[in-house]
């Protein structure tokens, strides 16, 4: 009945076809995923090996700034010589105007004296004293026409005005020249700084742009590879899902196969193969075959079953008898096994003892050979004792030889000392150096050199005596020439002492006189330098006065006052920002625009809009603190003062460390006692550090304020 009732599930052929299709699609998707993963890994590796974008963008900005600075520097270098030429022309114009003024004043003085002389002539009488100089008038001066003092005064005024105009032009030219020179120096320093910043960066903006383009291409390729990888993963996952779904169906069919086969296993069902369809087909064919065989064998099986039942009854009786006998034999077997185990243990112990003894005597010599070895060992001990005695005697002999050798060495050392003592005074005469360890050879070299040196010195002595005589003659000739030279310079030479001493005394006296003249000249030059310094100081004071006069004009003074207040504001805010940012940032301004100096980026200047949220808050807080302090100091006597400052939020953008720095700064402001600092915040960490708090709560109808003290 089990064999006939076996049925193959429907749809196995379609399941097998779909399984092959899905597995093929999964293999293709897996291969595509591996290719996409390799491409993504390569793209990421190239992107990670590429330089970072931030340094390249900063290098590009620095290159552009360097190009702009160099272009500006080229313009300033063209303008600076023009300013120098204008200043030189202005200097020449001032000198010309000053000369014209001097000439006009001289003419005015001449006309004034002539006018006075003409006015005095009528009161003069020949033979009488002049009422002005009190001298006797010999003859009357000739009559002269009236002097034109008005024209002379007008000429002086015109010359003074021209000089003032020339000086103003000169001052403007000097200021322009200094401005151009300052701009040139500033731009040169800026170019040097920018080049220092660009040290190690790509050599040009084009190379930086090319590197950025390559980096952009690598980024695009990495994104495309990542997109392709995600798409391949999605396709592989879809194929894997289809495979898993089909595997579920296959598992159901396989479970049904096992369930159908399990009752047939006692009947000899064939084993289950990996292919579910083939397993079902094989199991079904076997079941059909076995069902046919059992149908044919069923009548004979009934007869055999009856005969087997009779035999089973007889076999059961015989089995009971045999079982009783087997129980008795098992008891005997257990006793014999225990006796055998004890005997085997004793036998193993004896075997181990025999193996140990055999190992000990395996490499041992025979008795006669061992006796001979012992005799040789005794002989060797005696030889060792004799060798030890000879060794001690040899060591004593060596000690005596060492003592004698040391004595000889000390004698040789003493002789070397004698040699060095004899050579040292002769070193200045070129004595040869002592080399090597041969004492006799060293003495031979030194004595040979001394003999040759004596012969040489005898010849040198004769030549030296001859040279001394010639030198005396030259000295006398030089003395006469020096005397003539000194006399030629009108320096008297004393005759009551030798010529050399007289010349030295005369030259010393003339030198003292010359030095006195030189000192007077130096004093006059110092006076001239002081006059020039006084003149420069006066001109500088004049320029300062003119600049102040220009700044204090009604249309310039407010602008100057605002610029000065802005400088003070930026300086105070820069100090506060440096403290808040841990020394990283400072503030400056240019043409009314606030800039931040980033010390962590080679002191780069950049707009404040490039700061992050927390950094922007720090800059705003620094400006607010500086503004409140400056307004307090600018308040007039008796006017209302700004004694309080309120900060409304912005603390949520700060990290924990920066928030702690800001809170400490606010606490320091409150501790100084010169103003009240109020904070409006939702940050609990900051609110807990405020000593006096006003907690605001509200509902749908009203709001409540509660004062809290820490």
């Amino acid at each position: 009945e089990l064999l006939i009732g076996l049925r193959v599930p429907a749809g196995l052929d379609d399941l097998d076809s779909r399984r092959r299709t899905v597995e093929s699609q999964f293999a293709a998707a897996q291969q595509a995923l591996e290719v996409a993963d390799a491409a993504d890994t390569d793209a990421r590796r190239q992107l990670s090996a590429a330089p970072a974008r931030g340094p390249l963008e900063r290098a590009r900005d620095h290159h552009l700034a360097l190009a702009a600075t160099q272009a500006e520097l080229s313009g300033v270098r063209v303008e600076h010589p023009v300013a120098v030429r204008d200043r030189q022309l202005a200097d020449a114009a001032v000198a010309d105007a000053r000369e014209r003024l001097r000439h006009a004043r001289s003419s005015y003085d001449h006309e004034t004296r002539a006018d006075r002389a003409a006015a005095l002539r009528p009161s003069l009488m020949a033979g009488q004293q002049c009422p002005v100089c009190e001298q006797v008038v010999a003859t009357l001066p000739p009559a002269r026409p009236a002097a034109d003092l008005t024209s002379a005064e007008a000429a002086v005024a015109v010359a003074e005005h021209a000089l003032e105009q020339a000086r103003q032009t000169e001052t403007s030219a000097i200021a322009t020249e200094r401005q151009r020179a300052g701009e040139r120096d500033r731009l040169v320093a800026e170019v040097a700084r920018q080049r220092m910043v660009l040290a190690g960066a790509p050599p040009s903006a084009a190379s930086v742009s090319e590197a950025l383009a390559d980096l952009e291409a690598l980024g695009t390729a990495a994104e495309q590879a990542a997109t392709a990888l995600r798409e391949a993963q999605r396709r592989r996952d879809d194929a894997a899902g289809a495979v898993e779904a089909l595997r579920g169906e296959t598992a159901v069919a396989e479970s049904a196969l096992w369930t159908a086969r399990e009752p047939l296993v006692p009947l000899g069902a064939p084993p289950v193969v990996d292919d579910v369809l083939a397993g079902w087909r094989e199991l079904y064919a076997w079941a059909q075959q076995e069902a046919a065989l059992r149908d044919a064998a069923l009548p004979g099986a009934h007869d055999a079953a009856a005969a087997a039942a009779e035999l089973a009854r007889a076999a059961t009786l015989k089995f009971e008898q045999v079982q009783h006998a087997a129980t008795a034999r098992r008891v005997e077997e257990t006793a014999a096994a225990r006796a055998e185990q004890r005997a085997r243990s004793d036998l193993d112990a004896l075997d181990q003892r025999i193996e140990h003894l055999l190992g000990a005597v395996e490499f041992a010599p025979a008795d006669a050979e061992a006796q001979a070895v012992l005799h040789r060992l005794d002989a060797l001990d005696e030889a060792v004792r004799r060798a030890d005695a000879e060794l001690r005697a040899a060591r004593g002999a060596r000690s005596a030889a060492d003592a004698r050798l040391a004595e000889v060495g000390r004698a040789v050392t003493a002789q070397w000392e004698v040699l060095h003592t004899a050579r040292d005074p002769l070193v200045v005469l070129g004595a040869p150096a002592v080399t090597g360890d041969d004492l006799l050879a060293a003495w031979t070299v030194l004595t040979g050199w001394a003999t040759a040196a004596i012969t040489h010195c005898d010849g040198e002595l004769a030549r030296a005596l001859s040279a001394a005589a010639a030198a005396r003659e030259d000295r006398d000739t030089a003395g006469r020439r020096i005397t003539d030279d000194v006399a030629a310079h009108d320096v008297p030479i004393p005759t009551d002492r030798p010529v050399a001493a007289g010349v030295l005394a005369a030259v010393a006296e003339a030198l003292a006189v010359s030095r006195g003249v030189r000192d007077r000249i130096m004093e006059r030059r110092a006076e001239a330098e002081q006059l020039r310094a006084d003149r420069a100081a006066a001109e500088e004071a004049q320029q300062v006065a003119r600049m102040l006069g220009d700044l204090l004009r009604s249309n310039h003074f407010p602008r100057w006052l605002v610029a000065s207040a802005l400088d003070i504001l930026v300086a105070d805010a820069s100090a506060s920002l440096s403290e808040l940012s841990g020394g990283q940032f400072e503030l400056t301004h240019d043409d009314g625009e606030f800039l931040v100096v980033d010390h962590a980026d080679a002191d780069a200047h950049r707009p404040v809009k490039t700061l992050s949220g927390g950094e922007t808050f720090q800059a705003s807080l620094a400006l607010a603190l500086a503004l409140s302090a400056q307004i307090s100091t600018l308040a007039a006597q008796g006017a209302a003062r700004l004694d309080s400052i309120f900060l409304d939020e912005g603390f949520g953008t700060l990290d924990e460390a920066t928030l702690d720095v800001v809170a400490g700064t606010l606490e320091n402001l409150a501790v100084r006692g010169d103003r009240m600092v109020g904070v409006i915040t939702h940050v609990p960490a900051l609110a807990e550090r405020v000593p006096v708090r006003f907690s605001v709560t509200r509902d749908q109808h009203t709001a409540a304020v509660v004062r809290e003290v820490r």
Side-chain angles (χ1 to χ4, degrees):
E1 290 176 355
L2 291 175
L3 293 172
I4 295 172
L6 180 65
R7 294 290 183 271
V8 179
L12 284 181
D13 294 335
D14 180 62
L15 177 64
D16 185 65
S17 175
R18 286 190 291 118
R19 178 180 61 80
R20 287 194 296 270
T21 302
V22 170
E23 288 179 351
S24 176
Q25 292 176 352
F26 177 76
Q30 182 66 30
Q31 184 178 5
L33 176 61
E34 293 175 355
V35 173
D37 184 50
D40 180 69
T41 302
D42 184 66
R44 291 181 181 275
R45 179 184 57 78
Q46 294 180 359
L47 185 60
S48 62
R53 177 180 298 276
L56 288 176
E57 291 179 347
R58 289 194 294 273
R60 179 187 61 189
D61 296 339
H62 288 315
H63 272 299
L64 296 177
L66 177 60
T69 305
Q70 287 177 338
E72 186 178 358
L73 178 59
S74 300
V76 171
R77 283 178 173 169
V78 173
E79 294 173 355
H80 180 257
V82 175
V84 172
R85 186 174 63 254
D86 293 342
R87 193 263 305 162
Q88 292 173 350
L89 293 175
D91 290 342
V94 169
D96 183 67
R98 189 178 290 111
E99 180 63 24
R100 292 177 181 275
L101 178 59
R102 187 190 62 79
H103 181 71
R105 287 177 176 174
S106 176
S107 299
Y108 176 75
D109 293 341
H110 178 72
E111 293 295 334
T112 301
R113 287 194 299 271
D115 182 70
R116 290 177 180 175
L120 185 61
R121 185 177 181 279
S123 61
L124 296 179
M125 296 183 64
Q128 294 183 0
Q129 292 183 346
C130 175
V132 177
C133 62
E134 297 182 353
Q135 294 182 0
V136 177
V137 178
T139 57
L140 295 176
R144 297 187 59 183
D148 190 3
L149 294 179
T150 303
S151 300
E153 290 177 354
V156 171
V158 170
E160 289 178 346
H161 180 71
L163 178 60
E164 180 65 23
Q165 293 292 330
R167 284 177 176 173
Q168 291 180 358
T169 303
E170 180 188 28
T171 302
S172 176
I174 291 173
T176 302
E177 180 187 3
R178 291 179 179 175
Q179 180 183 4
R180 295 294 182 269
E183 291 177 354
R184 181 196 60 193
D185 296 340
R186 177 182 63 80
L187 291 174
V188 168
E190 180 65 17
V191 168
R193 186 191 68 78
Q194 290 173 352
R195 287 177 176 170
M196 185 181 300
V197 170
L198 286 172
S204 63
S207 58
V208 174
S209 299
E210 183 178 355
L212 285 172
D214 295 340
L215 185 61
E216 188 69 25
L218 290 176
T220 303
E223 292 179 358
Q224 293 175 353
T227 302
L229 177 61
R230 289 192 296 271
E231 181 64 22
Q233 288 176 342
R234 185 188 62 77
R235 292 177 180 174
R236 196 276 311 270
D237 293 341
D238 293 342
V243 169
E244 289 298 325
L246 197 60
R247 283 177 181 173
E249 296 182 16
T250 304
V252 172
E254 186 175 0
S255 177
L257 174 62
W258 282 96
T259 302
R261 176 181 175 276
E262 185 175 359
L264 303 177
V265 170
L267 303 179
V272 176
V273 297
D274 294 336
D275 192 346
V276 177
L277 179 61
W280 270 107
R281 289 174 178 173
E282 184 177 355
L283 181 62
Y284 183 75
W286 171 83
Q288 295 295 323
Q289 181 180 359
E290 290 295 322
L293 292 175
R294 279 167 174 72
D295 285 338
L298 185 59
H302 284 295
D303 296 337
E310 184 64 27
L311 291 174
R313 284 191 296 272
T316 300
L317 180 61
K318 182 67 175 176
F319 175 73
E320 291 177 353
Q321 296 174 356
V322 173
Q323 189 174 14
H324 288 296
T327 301
R329 297 296 180 273
R330 287 193 186 96
V331 173
E332 295 175 357
E333 181 183 8
T334 302
R338 290 177 179 174
E340 180 185 7
Q341 185 175 5
R342 286 194 298 270
R344 186 177 299 279
S345 176
D346 296 339
L347 180 61
D348 291 340
L350 292 174
D351 290 340
Q352 292 178 359
R353 178 62 178 168
I354 292 170
E355 290 178 0
H356 177 70
L357 293 175
L358 290 175
V361 301
E362 182 179 2
F363 299 102
D367 293 341
E369 184 179 357
Q371 188 68 26
V373 171
L374 291 175
H375 285 303
R376 284 198 300 272
L377 289 175
D378 294 338
L380 289 174
D381 288 338
E382 182 64 24
V384 167
R385 285 192 295 273
R386 289 196 302 271
D388 186 55
E390 292 175 358
L391 177 61
R392 288 195 296 271
R395 286 176 177 172
R398 188 186 67 177
S399 299
D402 289 340
R404 290 195 298 273
L405 179 61
E407 183 178 358
V408 173
R410 287 192 294 272
V412 171
T413 303
Q415 290 300 320
W416 276 108
E417 292 293 334
V418 172
L419 173 62
H420 286 297
T421 302
R423 177 183 173 274
D424 288 343
L426 303 177
V427 171
V428 296
L429 302 179
V434 177
T435 59
D437 298 330
D438 192 344
L439 179 62
L440 179 59
W443 269 109
T444 302
V445 171
L446 183 61
T447 54
W449 169 83
T451 302
I454 290 171
T455 304
H456 176 71
C457 289
D458 289 339
E460 291 294 327
L461 179 59
R463 287 191 292 273
L465 292 174
S466 176
R472 291 190 188 95
E473 184 177 356
D474 293 341
R475 180 194 63 186
D476 296 338
T477 303
R480 290 191 297 271
R481 188 166 56 252
I482 291 173
T483 302
D484 295 338
D485 291 341
V486 172
H489 288 82
D490 296 331
V491 177
I493 301 175
T495 58
D496 56 349
R497 63 184 70 181
V499 175
V503 169
L504 289 176
V507 170
E509 183 178 358
L511 179 60
V513 174
S514 300
R515 284 177 176 172
V517 175
R518 184 199 62 185
D519 292 340
R520 288 193 295 274
I521 293 174
M522 294 299 293
E523 291 176 357
R524 293 180 180 178
R525 291 183 62 183
E527 292 176 357
E529 289 293 335
Q530 183 62 38
L531 291 175
R532 281 194 290 270
D534 294 343
R535 174 187 172 186
E539 291 178 350
E540 184 177 359
Q542 179 190 12
Q543 294 175 4
V544 172
R546 182 178 293 107
M547 182 182 66
L548 288 176
D550 184 62
L551 291 176
L552 294 176
R553 291 169 56 186
S554 60
N555 57 344
H556 288 172
F557 179 70
R559 188 184 312 159
W560 170 78
L561 186 61
V562 169
S564 300
L566 182 60
D567 292 338
I568 298 174
L569 173 66
V570 170
D572 293 345
S574 181
S576 299
L577 180 58
S578 178
E579 179 182 358
L580 291 173
S581 63
Q584 181 180 0
F585 298 117
E586 288 185 358
L587 278 179
T588 184
H589 69 95
D590 185 15
D591 292 336
E593 180 182 1
F594 288 111
L595 302 175
V596 64
V597 181
D598 191 351
H599 295 298
D601 189 15
D603 296 342
H605 290 60
R606 52 191 177 93
V608 293
K609 62 184 180 181
T610 61
L611 296 175
S612 64
E615 295 169 348
T616 302
F617 174 78
Q618 291 178 352
S620 301
L621 176 60
L623 282 170
L625 296 176
L627 183 60
S628 65
Q630 188 172 353
I631 291 180
S632 297
T633 57
L634 292 179
Q637 184 67 26
R641 299 180 59 85
L642 183 62
D643 294 329
S644 61
I645 178 173
F646 282 84
L647 303 177
D648 187 3
E649 279 303 339
F651 302 99
T653 61
L654 304 179
D655 55 62
E656 183 177 354
T658 307
L659 183 64
D660 184 69
V661 174
V662 171
T665 303
L666 297 178
E667 290 174 350
N668 292 334
L669 290 175
V671 168
R672 288 194 311 213
D674 57 351
R675 77 189 67 184
M676 179 184 69
V677 180
V679 177
I680 303 172
T681 181
H682 293 88
V683 180
L686 181 60
E688 291 176 357
R689 299 183 61 168
V690 179
V692 179
R693 298 188 296 271
F694 291 89
S695 177
V696 180
T697 59
R698 65 178 181 179
D699 53 22
Q700 297 179 352
H701 305 289
T702 184
V705 179
V706 179
R707 186 175 186 270
E708 300 176 357
V709 179
R710 185 176 60 184

